[in-house]
Each structure stands twice: as C-alpha cells, then as structure tokens.
Amino acid sequence: MKKVTPFLMFQDGNAEEAMNFYTSLMEDSHITKIVRYGANEAGEEGTVMQAVFTLKGQEFMCIDSNIKHPFSFTPSFSIFLTCNSEKEIVNLYEKLLEDGQALMPLDEYGFSKKFGWLNDRFGVSWQLNLP
C-alpha cells in the first residue's frame, strides 16, 4: 500500500466548484489534476471524471458521479482542521458555513478553546478546532 487518500463523490456536478472553493480558503492548497468527461463518455461532458487536490499538504481525490446514488456525504466522516488563531477559525467557519448547516456553532465546549462543526453548501462536513 502506497498511501491513504480521502475521496469525495459529488452528485450534483459541482466537484470543481467545491475544489476551487476549498483551495481558495487555505494557503498551500491547490488543484493538482483534473480529468473531465468528454463527449459520448459515461458522465456529462466537462464534469469531473477524476480530480486530485491538496489542502495544506493533505491530498484528496474527487469525482462528479455520473450515477445518482441514494446516499451522499454524512457528518460521521468530516475534514478536521486545526487552526492557529481566533481570526483563522472564525474566518474559515463563516466562509464554510455560507449556505451550509451548523452542526455545532463556533463556541467553547470545554475540550477546546474554540470549536465548530458544520456541513458546507456541498454537503461536506468540517470540524474546526482552535486548541
């Protein structure tokens, strides 16, 4: 086994939009590779057949699923971010929460100086922590 890579499956054709959004929020983050569906292929032309992006050095893969599944993202699997400052955690929480859903509002919960858990507008779950 070479490595373990988190994999995100988007069902609404918004994998590229999500990658652009996520990589714009964090320094040292970028899209590494995008392979798109072409004409007469299994997926909608131009959508993401497979892509790779990194957030602060952590590699992720994602696709736009050409099959509608009866499931989507769940908060039981989330991306956990350890922030360096109050300003950073508040900024990230507010941007990720836009058109999303707060699961645990940004607050002090005893186990952390500041913590928040949310689902973003794409349905991906994030935990933000300021130790």
Side-chain angles (χ1 to χ4, degrees), residues 59-120:
E59 189 174 80
F60 291 82
M61 293 177 69
C62 70
I63 63 169
D64 282 317
S65 179
N66 60 331
I67 299 170
K68 295 298 178 199
H69 298 280
F71 55 84
S72 185
F73 298 114
T74 171
S76 65
F77 183 86
S78 58
I79 300 170
F80 192 96
L81 304 177
T82 302
C83 298
N84 291 323
S85 69
E86 176 99 15
K87 181 180 177 182
E88 181 180 45
I89 194 169
V90 168
N91 182 50
L92 284 170
Y93 188 87
E94 288 175 355
K95 288 181 178 177
L96 287 166
L97 186 60
E98 290 174 10
D99 297 322
Q101 173 192 19
L103 302 175
M104 290 177 74
L106 200 55
D107 205 349
E108 181 182 336
Y109 289 98
F111 56 84
S112 176
K113 180 178 176 182
K114 189 159 276 199
F115 179 84
W117 196 342
L118 60 95
N119 290 337
D120 69 22

Side-chain angles (χ1 to χ4, degrees), residues 6 20-21 42 47 63 68 94-95 102 114 121 124 128 130-131:
N20 284 325
F21 178 58
T47 61
I63 63 169
K68 295 298 178 199
E94 288 175 355
K95 288 181 178 177
K114 189 159 276 199
R121 67 180 182 242
V124 175
L128 286 71
L130 180 61

